[in-house]
Amino acid sequence: MLEAAIKAQLKGYLEKLQQPIELVATLDDGPKSAEMRALLRDIVGSSPLVSLRDDGSDERRPSFTIGRPGEAARVRFAGLPMGHEFTSLVLALLQVGGYPPKVEAALVEQVRALPGGLRFETFMSLSCHNCPDVVQALNLMAALNPGVTSTTIDGALFQDEVQARSIMAVPAIFLNGEPLGQGRMTLEEILAKVDTGAAAREADRLEAREPYDMLIVGGGPAGAAAAVYAARKGIRTGIVAERFGGQVLDTLAIENLISVPHTEGPKLARALEAHVREYEVDLVNLQRAEALEPADAEGYARVRLASGATLKARSVVLATGARWREMNVPGEREYRGRGVAYCPHCDGPLFKGKRVAVIGGGNSGVEAAIDLAGIVAHVTLIEFDARLRADAVLQAKLRSLPNVEVITSAKTTEVIGDGQKVNGLVYEDRNSGATGRIELEGVFVQIGLLPNTDWLAGTLALSPRGEIEVDARGQTSLPGIFAAGDATTSPYKQIIVAMGDGAKASLSAFDYLIRSSAPAVSPESVAA
């Protein structure tokens, strides 16, 4: 099952096991069960502390559990955890085997303090780059707390269950049989949902924080760069983010970050966070900014958070990034997660053998159509303009595919369904005014981004597109308030551009501090 090099790596990892673990399989005579049997035997052959038995008692076949001998297993995989999920498998083996997790001690204690009776199920796809974060977080919780169980289910393999639960986007998380969440979630985010008192406790802690010299709002490439540059100046730096990593977390292949020929969004996001944590940066995650108050007579600007806490700073760098643009047509929000999707890499496998549409003829739309064409029965790409705007090489690839139809000069007017899931789409021919209808099961929206600046309306100058207006130094219309990245009028929404913008805005904010009456800035930091 596993290649020799992978087996060697696995053997090295399993040398870290601190106590015996037992794999219990439920298999049948199918090909997937044969693959799982081979995988489990490879694992057993990699460590004398791992044993295997087949009791056939699980309701899903093929599946297996990871537990300690003599104890009820709390981690289960239904389907082959390969692809993006192979790391999840290795971590589960190590954590059940007693290897300490690389998680903050406070989070470990929070997990252990959870009440029992928490039965999690996660539906994923092996091509989903957001799913492993959820799977790994829940498996960790199950390994640490005897009252928690975690079952990971390959939606492509268990299609009947996916359809019965009306799952049309992954990762889809259920707690005790009821929907808990959908999309990428970190351990902190999951704990915030199940530990009901956590939000109030965190708000109290944040309210007590001392003022910052520089506070960065946003944890994407621009925010991370700003935080690193500020911290290196020796000033008190904070970074607050609704989701550290931002839009990068939803990006699959990144091949234009100079000096890095290829990486993936989640991997880059982890590297950004690791770099920030190398410095004395107060990183506040899972907190959404709700309002900005300009500097008062004492020179402190204030950022009010949705949790109710307020953070004070002598300078602020806004780097809130952007989000997927919606079509804003009837049915889109109603059927989001029930046929309307925004991540073809994550949710594409759930539409295997079905008919789908892709909205948008730019690079992202055409790339999505190409990827989906290898999975689904048929793809209809709909573009508002009279021609596609994607790179020529992508257009050539698209038109070579036999199961793709391209409709240009078309305006999507409605997503329709049966009340449970999508079953069609209505569009208007912009040349003739005629109405067309497409029978399908999925709609993938790929029409660009919107800046995350709604909370700033009326506070500082925004462009007609809602972008924060900045000058060449990243200065906004308010003194001491700077901005960077996709949320601003800076052209070219690219990761590398956002990083440069973040560094520039941070340096400009530092220059503002040393030129204003900010006593917290020391001569030593100026020299740095």
Side-chain angles (χ1 to χ4, degrees):
M1 177 65 186
L2 297 177
E3 296 178 356
I6 301 299
K7 284 184 182 179
Q9 291 179 5
L10 179 62
K11 185 175 181 179
Y13 285 128
L14 296 188
E15 289 177 354
K16 301 176 182 179
L17 291 174
Q18 299 185 1
Q19 52 188 302
I21 60 175
E22 180 182 51
L23 309 179
V24 180
T26 299
L27 306 172
D28 55 25
D29 296 328
K32 288 298 181 182
S33 286
E35 291 182 47
M36 181 173 287
R37 183 179 288 107
L39 171 64
L40 297 179
R41 287 174 176 171
D42 284 343
I43 296 172
V44 171
S46 299
S47 172
L49 292 178
V50 183
S51 61
L52 171 65
R53 63 184 175 89
D54 184 347
D55 73 349
S57 63
D58 198 285
E59 60 182 345
R60 300 183 183 92
R61 298 170 183 263
S63 66
F64 67 96
T65 61
I66 305 173
R68 296 170 184 169
E71 297 182 7
R74 304 194 295 271
V75 176
R76 175 178 283 103
F77 288 93
L80 277 169
M82 300 302 290
H84 287 294
E85 293 299 344
F86 186 70
T87 299
S88 302
L89 168 62
V90 174
L91 287 173
L93 293 167
L94 291 174
Q95 290 160 0
V96 173
Y99 185 73
K102 294 181 179 180
V103 177
E104 294 179 15
L107 290 177
V108 172
E109 292 306 312
Q110 190 177 354
V111 170
R112 287 176 171 158
L114 290 173
L118 301 178
R119 179 173 55 87
F120 292 97
E121 296 169 299
T122 305
F123 287 82
M124 57 80 180
S125 70
L126 296 180
S127 61
C128 171
H129 58 285
N130 288 325
C131 295
D133 287 326
V134 173
V135 171
Q136 291 165 23
L138 293 175
N139 286 349
L140 173 61
M141 291 171 64
L144 292 173
N145 189 321
V148 177
T149 64
S150 171
T151 300
T152 302
I153 305 160
D154 182 355
L157 192 59
F158 294 92
Q159 282 281 328
D160 290 344
E161 193 167 354
V162 166
Q163 293 177 10
R165 299 204 194 191
S166 299
I167 297 169
M168 304 192 77
V170 291
I173 311 166
F174 291 77
L175 173 58
N176 297 335
E178 298 296 325
L180 176 73
Q182 184 175 291
R184 182 186 183 275
M185 294 175 67
T186 62
L187 175 61
E188 294 95 327
E189 289 172 300
I190 295 169
L191 287 172
K193 282 182 172 286
V194 299
D195 185 356
T196 55
R201 294 195 301 272
E202 180 65 9
D204 289 341
R205 285 194 292 267
L206 292 176
E207 189 70 30
R209 299 284 171 93
E210 292 294 319
Y212 299 100
D213 291 320
M214 193 183 304
L215 176 65
I216 295 98
V217 184
V228 168
Y229 268 74
R232 286 176 62 86
K233 293 298 184 182
I235 61 177
R236 176 166 163 72
T237 304
I239 181 169
V240 58
E242 185 173 359
R243 184 178 67 148
F244 197 93
Q247 189 74 14
V248 164
L249 291 166
D250 302 321
T251 304
L252 189 58
I254 300 172
E255 298 176 341
N256 57 0
L257 186 60
I258 308 306
S259 83
V260 183
H262 177 85
T263 188
E264 295 181 346
K267 182 179 179 180
L268 176 59
R270 288 191 293 271
L272 291 173
E273 182 173 351
H275 197 175
V276 169
R277 290 188 182 278
E278 286 187 2
Y279 297 93
E280 293 185 8
V281 175
D282 189 7
L283 198 160
V284 181
N285 201 11
L286 306 183
Q287 294 289 331
R288 178 168 55 86
E290 196 171 64
L292 170 69
E293 299 177 11
D296 58 17
E298 296 181 345
Y300 291 122
R302 287 171 168 77
V303 175
R304 189 171 72 247
L305 307 178
S307 65
T310 297
L311 301 176
K312 297 193 297 183
R314 295 186 179 277
S315 66
V316 175
V317 175
L318 303 170
T320 48
R323 63 189 183 277
W324 289 115
R325 183 185 297 273
E326 298 178 0
M327 297 183 293
N328 291 318
V329 300
E332 179 181 13
R333 293 195 175 186
E334 179 184 355
Y335 289 105
R336 180 181 295 171
R338 295 188 292 164
V340 174
Y342 300 84
C343 181
H345 303 292
C346 300
D347 302 329
L350 300 179
F351 294 84
K352 183 178 180 180
K354 299 180 180 180
R355 300 176 66 88
V356 304
V358 173
I359 312 301
N363 281 351
S364 60
V366 172
E367 287 174 349
I370 292 170
D371 289 344
L372 289 167
I375 302 172
V376 304
H378 187 271
V379 179
T380 302
L381 187 145
I382 299 176
E383 165 58 30
F384 184 84
D385 205 348
R387 60 182 179 83
L388 300 184
R389 293 166 287 107
D391 294 343
V393 64
L394 293 175
Q395 293 191 43
K397 174 64 176 177
L398 180 73
R399 296 187 188 281
S400 72
L401 301 174
N403 61 336
V404 174
E405 177 186 3
V406 177
I407 302 176
T408 56
S409 298
K411 177 183 178 181
T412 303
T413 57
E414 185 179 5
V415 176
I416 53 179
D418 61 6
Q420 296 297 318
K421 57 185 179 180
V422 168
N423 61 23
L425 177 147
V426 178
Y427 69 92
E428 176 187 306
D429 186 311
R430 296 178 57 235
N431 295 322
S432 66
T435 297
R437 172 170 170 156
I438 305 172
E439 303 295 329
L440 44 72
E441 289 82 19
V443 179
F444 289 83
V445 183
Q446 300 283 289
I447 56 174
L449 303 172
L450 280 176
N452 293 318
T453 58
D454 298 346
W455 63 289
L456 295 168
T459 303
L460 45 65
L462 301 177
S463 74
R465 295 170 56 89
E467 299 167 326
I468 304 170
E469 293 186 350
V470 292
D471 64 14
R473 298 168 58 85
Q475 173 69 61
T476 72
S477 59
L478 293 177
I481 310 297
F482 300 80
D486 288 2
T488 74
T489 51
S490 176
Y492 311 119
K493 312 305 184 187
Q494 298 289 313
I495 292 171
I496 196 166
V497 174
M499 289 178 172
D501 278 355
K504 178 174 62 178
S506 184
L507 292 171
S508 297
F510 180 73
D511 184 66
Y512 165 82
L513 288 175
I514 63 177
R515 294 175 185 275
S516 63
S517 55
V521 181
S522 65
E524 290 78 10
S525 66
V526 175

